[in-house]
Amino acid sequence: FPPRSVALQTLLQFTYTSLFGTYTAHIYLQTHSTPALILAHSYCNWMGLPGLAFTQQSNILHKYRYALWGSHIVGLGGFLWTLCMWDLA
């Protein structure tokens, strides 16, 4: 594997796991519930990272890329908004 590819994949994985660790710590501090952590971890493992194959021109979904990017952005915004509202409750 090319070193650049390995470095990018490692950086992505490190960033994702750091953010997920922060998120699960936040869940625990809010709920004091281990089952909530297990559920969140199971759900994230099941869903995985968002697929971005639609960005490649050879992909059949490429013609819908703007709608797919929009749905990713709306989903992330909704998640962050919900997270912030949870802190206010």
Side-chain angles (χ1 to χ4, degrees):
F1 298 101
R4 183 175 183 206
S5 176
V6 171
L8 286 174
Q9 186 172 359
T10 302
L11 181 63
L12 175 68
Q13 198 169 24
F14 176 76
T15 303
Y16 176 73
T17 55
S18 296
L19 289 172
F20 182 75
T22 303
Y23 173 62
T24 54
H26 181 76
I27 289 174
Y28 186 73
L29 291 173
Q30 292 292 323
T31 65
H32 301 286
S33 169
T34 304
L37 298 178
I38 293 169
L39 182 64
H41 195 203
S42 298
Y43 180 75
C44 287
N45 280 345
W46 178 57
M47 292 301 293
L49 288 173
L52 299 177
F54 65 85
T55 59
Q56 298 174 347
Q57 282 191 339
S58 60
N59 192 289
I60 194 167
L61 297 174
H62 185 70
K63 60 185 171 184
Y64 304 110
R65 67 188 176 277
Y66 297 116
L68 292 169
W69 274 118
S71 67
H72 278 76
I73 291 168
V74 168
L76 180 61
F79 171 76
L80 294 173
W81 181 79
T82 304
L83 194 61
C84 290
M85 296 310 290
W86 194 8
D87 280 342
L88 297 175

